[in-house]
């Protein structure tokens, strides 16, 4: 499994960014893939996850609902995270992750299990910084 994130950067409050996660080494179009973040001095937390098959089910944590959108493109083996109306509290390193041995279903149990490090293959992360 290989995951490569990109698209991070520095923006002002209210700005937008689109993160990309290019995946390889597993069956992309029948997987659950998620975005996570870790701010300095804080534990890693889940942000959103998606079922990349025809079901397309998505799950968002409350803090990003209405602002972030997760999507996938099977032709490009890529999962995106569009982030709008960014706040300083969104500043963190953002990671994508999946686990072919723990397929699960998009929801709090899947995202919390991976965030806790119980399962998952991870990318190297991309920095997002939001300033006033």
């Amino acid at each position: 499994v290989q995951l490569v994130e990109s698209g991070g950067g520095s923006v002002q409050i209210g700005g937008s960014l689109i993160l990309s996660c290019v995946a390889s080494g597993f069956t992309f179009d029948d997987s659950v893939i998620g975005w996570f973040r870790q701010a300095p001095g804080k534990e890693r937390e889940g942000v959103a996850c998606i079922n990349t098959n025809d079901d397309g089910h998505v799950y968002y944590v409350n803090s990003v609902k209405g602002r972030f959108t997760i999507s996938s493109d099977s032709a490009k083996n890529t999962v995106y995270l569009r982030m709008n109306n960014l706040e300083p509290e969104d500043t963190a390193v953002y990671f994508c992750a999946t686990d072919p041995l723990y397929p699960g279903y998009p929801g709090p149990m899947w995202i919390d299990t991976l965030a806790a490090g119980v399962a998952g293959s991870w990318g190297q992360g991309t920095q997002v910084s939001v300033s006033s």
Side-chain angles (χ1 to χ4, degrees), residues 9-104:
S10 297
V11 297
Q12 293 187 323
I13 293 175
S16 298
L17 286 171
I18 301 175
L19 306 184
S20 300
C21 170
V22 179
S24 61
F26 62 101
T27 304
F28 179 89
D29 56 3
D30 191 22
S31 301
V32 181
I33 300 175
W35 283 98
F36 301 78
R37 65 187 181 187
Q38 188 165 20
K42 294 187 177 181
E43 294 186 352
R44 184 169 55 197
E45 63 174 355
V47 175
C49 53
I50 185 169
N51 209 347
T52 60
N53 61 19
D54 291 342
D55 173 76
H57 185 73
V58 299
Y59 170 80
Y60 300 95
V61 298
N62 287 337
S63 60
V64 306
K65 281 182 181 177
R67 300 189 300 123
F68 290 12
T69 303
I70 189 171
S71 61
S72 67
D73 184 341
S74 293
K76 297 181 178 180
N77 276 20
T78 301
V79 173
Y80 302 97
L81 184 69
R82 179 173 184 84
M83 307 184 293
N84 293 330
N85 196 20
L86 283 162
E87 305 168 350
E89 293 73 22
D90 297 317
T91 295
V93 178
Y94 283 70
F95 304 86
C96 60
T98 189
D99 192 331
L101 300 181
Y102 183 71

